[in-house]
Amino acid sequence: RLQQAPLLYEEMSRFPAVVGFVDISGFTKLSMLLHAQQGQRGAETLNQIVNAYITALMERIQESGGDTIKFAGDAILVVWGGTQQHNWAGTTFAKGRGKDRNERGQKPLHELLQDAARCCLELVTKYDDLPTLFSSHSLRLHAGLAAGEVCACYSGGHRSMWE
């Protein structure tokens, strides 16, 4: 959407999709432990750990067909679904057509849910209770999914700022 003409009014699209929320817990305690051990350098170490962890999560999400839509602190909002006509926040959902798609180029909702559930189960299996530099502390990963019709909106407009 961002590659098209500037947005002048709100827009809305509806499409079947799965929305996932992948939440990481344990960074606050880890930051305190790193600060106690390394002082100001602890922030750099934490940044490296966070970047590596989130990069690994996002790569798996993308491989599964998910689109990272937004970060909320240390959580990731992901959408699986839609068609090429649904460009939302600069992303394109479910590119291309294949034999597993309906006449509009969309995967059926149950297949999107399978893709999303498989991805989240793999993430939780691999990255939950991930050890850190401290044997007494690990990072935890939680994921939740919802499936159905999604309403994607651009809203805002104040000073040409849209979300």
Side-chain angles (χ1 to χ4, degrees):
R1 172 68 183 105
L2 298 178
Q3 296 172 350
Q4 299 171 4
L7 190 63
L8 300 175
Y9 303 100
E10 295 85 358
E11 284 186 13
M12 183 178 73
S13 298
R14 292 181 182 273
F15 51 91
V18 177
V19 177
F21 196 72
V22 180
D23 184 44
I24 308 160
S25 60
F27 282 128
T28 302
K29 184 175 179 183
L30 180 59
S31 69
M32 292 186 315
L33 292 168
L34 285 168
H35 181 53
Q37 184 186 60
Q38 300 178 6
Q40 294 296 346
R41 287 189 28 193
E44 293 176 29
T45 303
L46 180 66
N47 188 42
Q48 292 171 348
I49 293 169
V50 170
N51 285 343
Y53 195 75
I54 289 179
T55 296
L57 296 177
M58 289 180 59
E59 285 174 355
R60 180 60 194 108
I61 288 166
Q62 187 175 13
E63 288 170 4
S64 72
D67 248 330
T68 299
I69 300 302
K70 191 166 191 78
F71 292 95
D74 55 8
I76 305 169
L77 182 65
V78 182
V79 174
W80 286 265
T83 69
Q84 285 184 331
Q85 288 119 23
H86 297 107
N87 292 319
W88 184 32
T91 63
T92 305
F93 300 110
K95 300 164 184 74
R97 287 186 71 140
K99 59 184 173 185
D100 61 338
R101 302 183 190 281
N102 66 20
E103 65 280 353
R104 292 181 305 186
Q106 297 171 315
K107 270 189 169 185
L109 186 58
H110 71 277
E111 289 183 25
L112 294 170
L113 185 56
Q114 288 173 340
D115 292 345
R118 187 176 302 114
C119 174
C120 288
L121 283 170
E122 288 174 13
L123 292 176
V124 170
T125 300
K126 187 171 183 177
Y127 296 105
D128 183 38
D129 206 21
L130 191 71
T132 63
L133 302 171
F134 304 92
S135 59
S136 63
H137 182 68
S138 61
L139 296 176
R140 304 300 314 257
L141 187 72
H142 310 277
L145 297 172
E149 185 178 65
V150 169
C151 178
C153 304
Y154 289 107
S155 61
H158 180 67
R159 296 186 183 178
S160 298
M161 297 177 71
W162 297 89
E163 185 160 330

